[in-house]
């Protein structure tokens, strides 16, 4: 089973870097080009300069070389300071979902890497392009900039009991993001052995960060071949007991770019609002949006099989649609608009699912298609960074 350990993280020094509210960002793959530019303007020390570089138009090798130089400069100047002792980092999201206030708690730690499918189980496929891109960055910055978001096979009530005392204290970092989600992080140096033991005999499922996990495995292979064991044998993860915390698992809708969509089936509904109202993961009800003679048509189609619906959609409807022809959007309005404007030939709208349904697929020996789920909220990048110090690359 994977080992969870404390680490001495890098954190912003607000006396030098400025207020933490101006320094953090979402994970790299949730940042649009416009957001990238906005974060660059927000602060000269915003973490986006590390995760995406300081010039969106520059070649990747130049952006990531400068990102590595920036990280080393920030450490030397005290913008980022390394904690004196290894710690675990309790983490809390508070947010509004489906009309009610929610809270999800977990802990950030260093997790020993294992081959895929052993103690750490991805639930989605990956694509080679993002892996190569992120591997170039990791070679330069030599740090885990964003935690992988992962779920343990709870319930583990003892974990919440161990974290609770630390979370009664004032948070070390407190940020409210653009969606209104509040992110709080604590630094825990007492009782960390007991928290680490709470993860013994638990399986870790990657929720968000499959490409970062694949990159960590590739980097470990490179560095181990040259230098043997080292800090590259672990990576930073936010671990959440899904059975207790029940984090939202939102859909990533499919948009087909070009080509004829599969034959439209199902019954017509009036509009997007009515279509979204009938989507159901247990019943495997999916929405299909197409255009006919300039008119947008909304249909609800019920598939057969076992949830999650996204898995069955790819097996029964999208099996002959090239993955290159698909785009992924968390916003159903934007997916419908892509069909309305002619950018897409069809949109496939999916219901939310549950962690238990995903784990059931894994238990059957399966895996979901890439970009199947949208775990939300996502941990904020920049609240803590895990350095990977070792021999020069």
């Amino acid at each position: 089973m994977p080992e969870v350990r404390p680490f001495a993280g890098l954190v912003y020094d607000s006396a030098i870097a400025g207020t933490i509210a101006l320094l953090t960002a979402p994970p790299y793959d949730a940042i649009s080009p416009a957001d990238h530019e906005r974060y660059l303007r927000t602060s000269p020390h915003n973490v986006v300069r590390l995760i995406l570089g300081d010039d969106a138009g520059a070649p990747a090798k130049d952006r990531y070389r400068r990102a590595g130089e920036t990280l080393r400069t920030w450490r030397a100047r005290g913008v980022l300071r390394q904690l004196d002792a290894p710690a675990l980092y309790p983490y809390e999201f508070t947010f509004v979902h489906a009309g009610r206030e929610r809270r999800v708690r977990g802990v950030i730690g260093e997790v020993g890497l294992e081959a895929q499918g052993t103690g750490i189980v991805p639930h989605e496929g990956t694509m080679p392009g993002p892996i190569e891109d992120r591997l170039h960055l990791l070679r330069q910055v030599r740090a885990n900039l964003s935690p992988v978001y992962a779920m343990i096979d709870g319930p583990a009530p003892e974990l919440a009991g161990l974290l609770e005392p630390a979370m009664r204290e004032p948070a070390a970092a407190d940020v409210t993001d653009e969606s209104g989600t509040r992110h709080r992080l604590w630094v825990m140096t007492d009782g960390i052995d007991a928290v680490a033991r709470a993860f013994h005999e638990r399986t870790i499922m990657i929720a968000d960060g499959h490409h970062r996990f694949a990159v960590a495995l590739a980097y470990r292979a490179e560095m181990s071949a040259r230098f043997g064991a080292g800090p590259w044998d672990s990576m930073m993860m936010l671990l959440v007991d899904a059975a207790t915390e029940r984090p939202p698992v939102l859909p990533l809708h499919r948009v087909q770019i070009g080509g004829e969509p599969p034959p439209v089936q199902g019954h017509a509904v009036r509009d997007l609002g009515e279509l979204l109202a009938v989507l159901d993961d247990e019943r495997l009800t999916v929405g299909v949006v197409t255009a006919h003679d300039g008119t947008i048509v909304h249909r609800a189609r019920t598939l057969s099989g076992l949830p999650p619906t996204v898995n069955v959609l790819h097996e029964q409807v999208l099996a002959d649609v090239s993955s290159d022809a698909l785009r992924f959007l968390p916003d159903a309005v934007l997916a419908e608009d892509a069909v309305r404007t002619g950018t897409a030939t069809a949109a496939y709208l999916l219901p939310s699912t549950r962690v238990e349904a995903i784990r059931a697929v894994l238990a059957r020996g399966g895996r979901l298609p890439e970009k199947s789920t949208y775990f939300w909220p996502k941990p904020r990048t920049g609240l803590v960074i895990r350095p990977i110090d070792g021999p020069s690359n």
Side-chain angles (χ1 to χ4, degrees), residues 18-24 39 42-43 45-47:
T19 176
I20 190 67
L22 303 178
L23 305 176
T24 67
Y39 286 121
T42 297
S43 167
H45 299 129
N46 189 281
V47 75

Side-chain angles (χ1 to χ4, degrees), residues 42-360:
T42 297
S43 167
H45 299 129
N46 189 281
V47 75
V48 78
R49 297 177 186 274
L50 304 181
I51 58 177
L52 286 176
D54 58 6
D55 182 355
K61 64 178 183 179
D62 294 335
R63 284 187 284 123
Y64 296 155
R65 174 182 52 78
R66 288 200 297 271
E69 293 170 353
T70 297
L71 179 55
R72 290 186 286 275
T73 298
W74 286 0
R75 294 183 69 175
R77 294 179 178 174
V79 174
L80 289 169
R81 61 180 178 84
Q82 188 161 10
L83 298 181
D84 294 331
L88 294 174
Y89 306 87
Y91 196 108
E92 179 188 76
F93 305 98
T94 52
F95 54 97
V96 175
H97 176 60
R100 66 187 185 94
E101 187 168 307
R102 291 283 317 279
R103 180 184 74 180
V104 171
R105 290 181 164 190
V107 62
I108 293 176
E110 172 185 287
V111 179
L113 290 170
E114 297 190 5
Q116 297 191 44
T118 53
I120 302 176
V121 184
H123 78 269
E124 291 181 350
T126 55
M127 295 172 281
I131 293 175
E132 188 64 24
D133 176 73
R134 293 291 101 182
L135 184 55
H136 284 313
L137 176 62
L138 183 56
R139 289 169 180 150
Q140 294 294 330
V141 298
R142 298 169 65 197
N144 297 144
L145 302 175
S146 304
V148 162
Y149 189 18
M151 306 289 145
I152 65 167
D153 55 345
E158 72 277 13
L159 178 61
L162 291 167
L163 295 176
E164 186 68 37
M167 296 175 116
R168 293 194 196 106
E169 301 298 322
D174 189 336
V175 174
T176 299
D177 68 21
E178 299 83 354
S179 72
T181 298
R182 185 182 185 187
H183 305 253
R184 291 199 292 170
L185 178 136
W186 290 259
V187 177
M188 180 181 186
T189 54
D190 295 328
I192 54 179
D193 290 340
V195 174
R197 285 195 299 271
F199 294 101
H200 288 181
E201 305 303 320
R202 303 281 183 184
T203 300
I204 294 173
M205 184 190 80
I206 304 296
D208 184 71
H210 286 80
H211 290 95
R212 276 167 273 155
F213 176 63
V215 165
L217 292 177
Y219 187 69
R220 179 184 67 166
E222 286 184 4
M223 297 298 284
S224 297
R226 296 173 62 188
F227 304 110
W232 41 82
D233 292 322
S234 303
M235 76 176 306
M236 179 171 64
M237 291 188 181
L238 168 60
L239 300 162
V240 168
D241 171 9
T244 301
E245 302 293 330
R246 306 194 69 78
V249 189
L250 307 184
L252 273 171
H253 308 296
R254 272 63 182 137
V255 171
Q256 183 177 341
I257 307 297
E260 286 296 318
V264 177
Q265 300 180 21
H267 65 276
V269 298
R270 182 178 56 192
D271 54 22
L272 180 62
E274 186 173 335
L275 184 57
L276 294 176
V278 300
L279 300 183
D280 189 303
D281 198 49
E282 292 299 319
R283 297 182 62 242
L284 303 177
T285 303
V286 64
V288 183
V289 182
T290 55
H292 180 68
D293 292 336
T295 300
I296 297 298
V297 179
H298 302 85
R299 290 183 180 273
R301 179 176 176 183
T302 299
L303 307 174
S304 59
L306 297 171
T309 305
V310 64
N311 207 38
V312 182
L313 175 70
H314 276 260
E315 292 173 352
Q316 298 180 14
V317 179
L318 301 180
D320 296 326
V321 176
S322 167
S323 60
D324 293 337
L326 295 177
R327 303 293 183 269
F328 312 99
L329 294 172
D331 190 325
V333 174
L334 293 181
E336 180 200 45
D337 192 57
V339 177
R340 189 184 308 280
T341 59
T343 305
T345 57
Y348 307 91
L349 307 183
L350 290 154
S352 299
T353 189
R354 298 174 298 111
V355 173
E356 293 85 351
I358 299 170
R359 282 195 174 274

Side-chain angles (χ1 to χ4, degrees), residues 18-41:
T19 176
I20 190 67
L22 303 178
L23 305 176
T24 67
Y28 78 98
D29 55 352
I31 299 176
S32 69
D35 288 337
H36 185 188
E37 293 299 326
R38 178 168 56 84
Y39 286 121
L40 289 175
R41 293 192 301 269

